[in-house]
């Protein structure tokens, strides 16, 4: 590892910036709240008991460490680099989202908050939040775009079973960004008792840093597991980016290892020419939304666009600010993958390895399919398999013309 | 900074022994032509200071009425250039009434804040109220605005405690906008007595006028709040009046402009009697 002076792992600065990205762009009503959150998070970070509690829950509740799995048949099929999966889809609740939710709910309890709110797109973060709220006995309100409520019914029912109240948001196009707006409106109204549990590594400082720290368990475990399996670090890392929390969790512990190539895979939707994609880093430009400066899909007048992806979990017009910075400094290469490529990869993994992935990591896999054959057989590639595909089976069946 | 139109207007209202009536409408709502007619009619109806909303796709601090106003404007193809044009046209008839642009940072950020400040000043804008730039980011837009001789009005809220107030007020000029509730625009004020306490708390920290907004809906409320406050801000009630005047297709009718000016006149009467009781 490099020394601190040359490290790119030390961000953000004390104003929450990664280069020009990040920051705290919120209404004055919320400023004292996020400053308070920052103070409490700093204290918790230095408290061994806080870490011990997270570790215990990770182990006994989530099922960590998640396995590192050598995908032997896929490696043969693609005929290049050795392919490993970090299997965060085996976590309790079916994705990496639980890593962040456990950390934040413990923080909320430390702060004496008695009510939890969250936003959700596909419902994975909503389910993870409702789960930890049930586990810790706190009331939970989940804001979800009305369009998403309609197309993600199984997750809506799951959240209700877990005791959460679901508020469908009809403003705008009724998707994730509108749900986030509504959650912010709730927070600004209920400033005393409410904790806003943001699901991705975005939003005002300290959320991008905090969510990254909680998700970094993915990359930290991987380093150890890879040393055990191969006696060396991997040559390449691949992860899907929507808001970017699973990706930053995988990448961050490796940022200073210059020989490790890192790829973030964005939702290219139906192609980058029009507006039917969510490739904020490839096709967007810097702007300010939801508390941070970052790459955004927007028109020339600064109005935010809706975006499209086959995967509701990638359907967000922004991206975590640290990713924007990692793109600018060239440390991570961000590439788009189309809906159809993700759908092909989804089926391929199911047939070749007997693993049904979520549509989000199916995007990452589509890039692995392109990348692995260009690499040597003695090279190692690791992909974060950040979610399982049970939630997507119905939608994929419809897209493939199967009579559901 | 030398005396601005906003300073002069608040001084004049104070001399007249009443609070200033600060009115908010969204530019381009419900359409460009009607919105211009509303803007031009505001001073005669009793508005002392005008906040012109810059429509944004994601107005996070707004309640339903102003969210819908933003959507109507954007659906009609409204842009920032058109907002600035509205100010230019207004200035052809009125050189005294201050206009503030109010809204969110991104539509300004994409135009580069320093350039935007210049263009806005030339159009006849007097200052800005930007919801999502806290004092911690004053260097981005607030300082360039002050350097161009424009006011930057900052919001103080019930969560802004005495420790934080000096930082919030440091670069504020023109007036201080006190947000009367923790919540979104158009919320209900629960206790006007607490608002008076808050206004006086802020006045201990500054000589600037203090205007109160978020949730003022009636002439009586304007009269009560205007006893202590130097200004009363109204928005949602005007934007609601626009919505209620529209036809079944959401288009403006010949009632639309009058619907707004009637409400403004009523609220102005509340301001006029605020300190007579």
């Amino acid at each position: 590892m490099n020394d601190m002076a040359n490290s790119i792992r030390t961000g953000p600065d004390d104003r929450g910036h990664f280069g020009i990205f990040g920051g705290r762009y919120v209404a004055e009503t919320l400023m004292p709240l996020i400053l308070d959150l920052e103070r409490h998070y700093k204290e918790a970070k230095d408290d061994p008991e806080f870490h011990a509690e997270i570790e215990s829950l990770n182990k006994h509740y989530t099922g960590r460490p998640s396995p590192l799995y050598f995908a032997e048949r896929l490696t043969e099929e693609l005929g290049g680099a050795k392919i490993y999966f970090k299997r965060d889809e085996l976590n309790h609740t079916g994705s990496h989202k639980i890593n962040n939710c456990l950390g934040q709910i413990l923080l909320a309890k430390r702060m004496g908050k008695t009510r939890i709110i969250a936003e959700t797109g596909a419902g994975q973060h909503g389910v993870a939040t409702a789960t930890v709220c049930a586990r810790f006995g706190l009331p939970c309100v989940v804001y979800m775009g009305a369009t998403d409520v309609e197309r993600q019914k199984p997750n809506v029912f799951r959240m209700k079973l877990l005791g959460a109240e679901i508020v469908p948001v009809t403003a705008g196009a009724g998707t994730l960004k509108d749900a986030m707006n509504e959650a912010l409106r709730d927070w600004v109204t209920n400033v005393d008792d409410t904790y806003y549990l943001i699901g991705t590594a975005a939003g005002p400082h300290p959320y991008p840093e905090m969510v990254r720290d909680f998700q970094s368990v993915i990359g930290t475990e991987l380093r150890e597991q890879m040393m055990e399996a191969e006696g060396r670090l991997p040559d390449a890392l691949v992860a899907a980016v929507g808001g970017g929390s699973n990706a930053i969790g995988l990448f961050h512990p490796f940022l200073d290892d210059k020989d490790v190539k890192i790829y973030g895979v964005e939702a290219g939707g139906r192609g980058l020419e029009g507006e039917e994609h969510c490739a904020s880093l490839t096709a967007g430009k810097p702007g300010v939304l939801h508390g941070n400066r970052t790459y955004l899909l927007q028109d020339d007048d600064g109005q935010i666009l809706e975006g499209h992806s086959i995967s509701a979990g990638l359907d967000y017009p922004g991206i975590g600010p640290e990713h924007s910075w990692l793109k600018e400094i060239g440390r991570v290469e961000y590439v788009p993958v189309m809906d159809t490529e993700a759908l092909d990869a989804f089926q391929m993994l199911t047939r070749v390895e007997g693993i049904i992935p979520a549509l989000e990591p199916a995007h990452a896999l589509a890039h692995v399919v392109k990348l692995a054959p260009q690499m040597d057989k003695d090279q190692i590639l690791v992909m974060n398999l950040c979610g399982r595909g049970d939630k997507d089976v119905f939608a994929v069946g419809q897209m493939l013309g199967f009579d559901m | 900074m030398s005396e601005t139109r906003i300073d002069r207007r608040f001084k004049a209202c104070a001399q007249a022994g009443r609070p200033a009536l600060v009115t908010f409408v969204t530019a381009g709502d419900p359409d460009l032509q009607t919105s211009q007619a509303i803007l031009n009619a505001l001073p005669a109806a009793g508005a002392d200071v005008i906040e012109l909303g810059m429509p944004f796709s994601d107005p996070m601090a707004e309640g339903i009425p102003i969210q819908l106003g933003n959507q109507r404007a954007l659906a009609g193809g409204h842009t920032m250039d058109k907002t600035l044009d509205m100010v230019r046209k207004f200035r052809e008839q009125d050189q005294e009434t201050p206009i503030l642009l109010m809204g969110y940072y991104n539509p300004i950020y994409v135009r580069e804040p320093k350039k935007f400040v210049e263009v806005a000043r030339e159009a006849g804008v007097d200052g800005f109220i930007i919801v999502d730039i806290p004092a911690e980011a004053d260097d981005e837009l607030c300082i360039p605005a002050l350097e161009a001789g424009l006011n930057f009005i900052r919001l103080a809220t019930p969560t802004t405690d005495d420790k934080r107030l000096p930082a919030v007020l440091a670069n504020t000029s023109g007036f201080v906008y006190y947000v009367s509730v923790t919540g979104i625009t158009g919320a209900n004020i629960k206790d006007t007595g607490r608002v008076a306490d808050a206004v006086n708390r802020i006045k201990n920290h500054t000589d600037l006028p203090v205007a109160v907004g978020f949730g003022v809906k009636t002439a009586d409320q304007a009269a009560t709040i205007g006893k202590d406050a130097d200004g009363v801000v109204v928005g949602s009630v005007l934007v609601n009046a626009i919505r209620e005047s529209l036809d079944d297709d959401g288009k403006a009718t010949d009632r639309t402009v009058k619907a707004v000016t009637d409400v403004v006149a009523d609220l102005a009467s509340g301001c006029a009697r605020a300190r007579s009781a």
Side-chain angles (χ1 to χ4, degrees):
Chain A
M1 286 244 185
N2 293 0
D3 57 39
M4 288 291 279
N6 295 319
S7 176
I8 54 171
R9 300 180 62 238
T10 56
D13 66 18
D14 55 8
R15 289 173 70 193
H17 287 109
F18 303 91
I20 68 159
F21 300 103
R24 296 179 280 227
Y25 299 90
V26 297
E28 170 60 22
T29 309
L30 293 180
M31 265 318 283
L33 278 70
I34 62 170
L35 292 172
D36 188 47
L37 175 62
E38 185 183 349
R39 191 170 53 79
H40 278 94
Y41 179 56
K42 269 189 189 149
E43 281 171 18
K45 225 165 42 168
D46 293 337
D47 182 356
E49 250 179 64
F50 181 72
H51 290 281
E53 212 174 338
I54 291 181
E55 270 166 44
S56 170
L57 284 163
N58 278 346
K59 182 174 175 187
H60 301 289
Y61 193 64
T62 305
R64 301 208 73 93
S66 68
L68 178 65
Y69 169 71
F70 173 49
E72 198 177 342
R73 288 199 64 217
L74 186 69
T75 300
E76 270 174 37
E77 178 100 7
L78 295 177
K82 284 180 85 168
I83 299 164
Y84 281 86
F85 293 134
K86 180 65 175 156
R87 297 201 58 188
D88 257 52
E89 101 278 15
L90 294 176
N91 293 342
H92 179 42
T93 75
S95 79
H96 68 288
K97 292 290 186 188
I98 190 83
N99 303 331
N100 166 48
C101 288
L102 282 172
Q104 286 201 55
I105 197 110
L106 290 177
L107 188 61
K109 277 182 68 85
R110 278 176 79 102
M111 294 175 71
K113 300 293 181 184
T114 54
R115 175 176 177 266
I116 305 293
I117 59 170
E119 83 295 337
T120 197
Q124 291 306 95
H125 174 58
V127 167
T129 305
T131 299
V132 299
C133 285
R135 167 66 182 74
F136 286 92
L138 289 172
C140 175
V141 177
V142 178
Y143 289 92
M144 189 169 186
T147 310
D148 289 335
V149 169
E150 204 44 50
R151 63 182 176 182
Q152 305 288 337
K153 277 186 184 155
N155 273 343
V156 172
F157 181 57
R158 248 172 231 146
M159 287 184 271
K160 283 189 176 162
L161 274 177
L162 290 159
E165 179 194 340
I166 316 299
V167 182
V169 179
T170 51
T175 57
L176 180 55
K177 88 176 168 78
D178 308 297
M180 199 150 181
N181 290 336
E182 209 56 33
L184 285 164
R185 291 182 187 119
D186 180 313
W187 201 23
V188 90
T189 307
N190 300 290
V191 294
D192 293 325
D193 62 348
T194 297
Y195 183 94
Y196 181 15
L197 207 163
I198 294 184
T200 193
H205 179 63
Y207 283 101
E209 174 189 4
M210 189 166 69
V211 176
R212 174 200 73 196
D213 291 351
F214 293 138
Q215 291 294 0
S216 288
V217 65
I218 299 170
T220 305
E221 284 175 4
L222 171 61
R223 282 186 84 94
E224 217 171 283
Q225 290 167 322
M226 189 49 82
M227 291 309 287
E228 200 175 301
E230 296 276 353
R232 68 182 187 88
L233 295 182
D235 298 286
L237 300 175
V238 182
V241 291
S245 70
N246 95 80
I248 202 70
L250 176 72
F251 299 167
H252 195 259
F254 293 91
L255 289 179
D256 285 336
D257 300 291
K258 297 284 190 293
D259 294 334
V260 180
K261 287 197 170 148
I262 305 182
Y263 301 90
V265 184
E266 294 196 288
R270 301 195 178 103
L272 300 190
E273 312 77 52
E275 288 177 5
E276 290 189 289
H277 62 82
C278 286
S280 343
L281 287 168
T282 320
K285 58 182 181 179
V288 175
L289 180 73
H290 293 151
N292 57 169
R293 174 161 32 232
T294 193
Y295 274 80
L296 298 172
L297 298 180
Q298 54 182 321
D299 67 15
D300 291 340
D301 219 39
Q303 306 297 341
I304 311 303
L305 303 173
E306 284 294 336
H308 155 85
S309 170
I310 190 175
S311 146
L314 302 179
D315 205 345
Y316 180 65
I319 174 82
E322 194 164 10
H323 286 292
S324 291
W325 180 68
L326 291 170
K327 173 198 159 76
E328 293 264 303
I329 63 169
R331 178 62 185 98
V332 177
E333 190 179 330
Y334 294 90
V335 294
V337 150
M338 305 305 132
D339 283 352
T340 48
E341 296 174 306
L343 209 50
D344 289 346
F346 177 96
Q347 296 171 81
M348 182 180 194
L349 189 65
T350 306
R351 293 216 179 110
V352 176
E353 292 288 349
I355 299 172
I356 302 178
L359 281 169
E360 293 80 19
H363 281 73
L365 187 68
H367 188 64
V368 169
V369 170
K370 296 175 194 171
L371 188 64
Q374 298 168 23
M375 294 170 68
D376 293 335
K377 287 193 174 183
D378 59 353
Q379 288 190 299
I380 302 165
L381 184 163
V382 182
M383 187 196 99
N384 195 22
L385 191 39
C386 63
R388 67 179 82 132
D390 310 34
K391 71 179 173 66
D392 295 316
V393 165
F394 193 79
V396 169
Q398 284 181 326
M399 283 180 268
L400 297 178
F402 191 83
D403 187 14
M404 303 294 281
Chain B
M1 128 180 238
S2 52
E3 196 179 61
T4 65
R5 258 195 288 251
I6 295 172
D7 299 332
R8 283 196 292 277
R9 182 53 58 95
F10 271 94
K11 214 181 267 179
C13 289
Q15 275 162 5
R18 62 176 176 86
L21 178 61
V22 182
T23 58
F24 171 95
V25 288
T26 305
D29 174 28
D31 61 72
L32 183 57
Q33 199 189 345
T34 310
S35 185
Q36 184 81 56
I38 292 169
L39 178 65
N40 292 357
L42 285 173
D48 296 303
V49 177
I50 294 169
E51 294 176 5
L52 188 59
M54 300 172 284
F56 184 47
S57 52
D58 295 79
M60 284 152 283
E62 314 301 342
I64 295 286
I66 296 180
Q67 285 180 42
L68 292 174
N70 277 260
Q71 286 177 20
R72 285 193 294 270
L74 291 175
H78 198 81
T79 61
M80 186 71 91
D81 284 338
K82 291 178 182 172
T83 300
L84 294 169
D85 270 343
M86 285 179 65
V87 178
R88 287 187 195 100
K89 289 215 174 81
F90 177 84
R91 281 282 168 253
E92 289 170 11
Q93 63 153 52
D94 186 324
Q95 284 83 49
E96 301 306 319
T97 306
I99 294 191
L100 293 149
L101 293 183
M102 180 164 187
Y104 296 80
Y105 187 24
N106 198 53
I108 293 173
Y109 178 74
V110 297
R111 291 170 162 253
E112 295 183 33
K114 276 184 187 153
K115 283 188 199 165
F116 180 74
V117 164
E118 264 323 300
V119 177
R121 192 184 59 77
E122 282 166 18
V125 169
D126 298 288
F128 303 100
I129 304 176
I130 307 299
V131 177
D132 54 353
I133 308 184
E136 281 75 358
D138 267 354
D139 53 325
E140 295 201 30
L141 181 62
C142 174
I143 301 296
L146 292 177
E147 283 171 359
L150 298 182
N151 290 123
F152 196 90
I153 283 77
R154 200 164 279 300
L155 306 169
T157 71
T159 59
T160 315
D161 59 20
D162 282 330
K163 217 176 98 198
R164 182 171 165 75
L165 253 180
V168 168
L169 297 175
N171 293 314
T172 301
S173 66
F175 65 97
V176 180
Y177 185 146
Y178 180 67
V179 176
S180 61
V181 292
T182 53
I184 50 181
T185 52
N188 288 313
I189 298 179
K190 285 173 197 136
D191 184 353
T192 44
R194 277 177 65 181
V195 174
D197 292 346
V199 167
N200 292 316
R201 175 169 74 92
I202 293 168
K203 288 192 168 186
N204 285 334
H205 290 265
T206 179
D207 294 330
L208 289 170
V210 178
V212 173
F214 278 47
V216 182
K217 294 188 178 85
T218 65
D220 284 346
Q221 282 176 324
T224 308
I225 285 169
K227 262 192 197 93
D228 298 271
D230 304 298
V232 176
V233 189
V234 291
S236 297
V237 68
L238 305 183
V239 178
N240 260 341
I242 293 177
R243 176 171 56 163
E244 282 160 10
S245 76
L246 303 178
D247 67 18
D248 292 345
D249 299 324
K251 300 275 185 257
T253 62
D254 52 12
R255 298 186 307 277
T256 301
V257 176
K258 192 167 182 302
V260 178
T261 53
D262 281 354
V263 178
V264 171
D266 183 42
L267 291 159
S269 74
C271 288
R273 67 174 187 265
R275 292 172 199 162
S276 57

